[in-house]
Amino acid sequence: MPLWKTPFWIGDREFSAEDLGFIEAMVRDFRNLSRTELAATVCENLPWKAPNGRVKVNGCLLLLERMENDGMIALPPKKANVVGSVCNLGSPPLPVTEIRSSLSRLRPITV
């Protein structure tokens, strides 16, 4: 039984008690998905889309977090945001040769 008074609106979409039950079941049944994957799956199945046809993942993530804060669901833990790092492929550095000249003498130059 939902803790929230239904129906309620988020943006242009009305949410019913059945919608909340569906979300609770999705989170419970697909607990191996990431939060973003869960939100996308919920959006696809409700359906909850913008006028351009794209699913409203960000809005759904906020809804899921509110539901978790109110004890209605238990989301998977947030994953650390991994920023790409430069990797060393073991290649030796390219040789550098200093050239002292005017560009006009070196033409044509290609990169």
Side-chain angles (χ1 to χ4, degrees):
M1 176 143 188
L3 298 174
W4 296 351
K5 183 177 178 184
T6 55
F8 62 90
W9 289 84
I10 297 179
D12 59 352
R13 188 174 195 308
E14 181 180 32
F15 287 83
S16 66
E18 291 80 20
D19 292 331
L20 292 180
F22 171 78
I23 292 169
E24 290 169 351
M26 291 289 293
V27 171
R28 182 181 58 248
D29 294 345
F30 297 98
R31 61 183 156 263
N32 292 330
L33 295 179
S34 70
R35 289 173 179 232
T36 302
E37 290 167 331
L38 272 172
T41 303
V42 167
C43 287
E44 282 289 334
N45 286 281
L46 279 179
W48 189 11
K49 297 181 179 183
N52 65 5
R54 297 178 77 182
V55 292
K56 293 190 171 185
V57 174
N58 289 335
C60 190
L61 281 169
L62 292 174
L63 174 62
L64 293 175
E65 288 174 359
R66 282 182 50 204
M67 291 177 73
E68 182 178 48
N69 289 340
D70 287 350
M72 297 168 69
I73 59 174
L75 291 173
K78 289 183 178 181
K79 294 183 179 177
N81 210 0
V82 179
V83 177
S85 61
V86 177
C87 61
N88 182 356
L89 298 177
S91 301
L94 296 173
V96 176
T97 306
E98 184 177 336
I99 300 173
R100 292 184 180 257
S101 180
S102 67
L103 286 176
S104 60
R105 285 191 63 209
L106 298 173
R107 284 189 186 167
I109 298 174
T110 58
V111 179

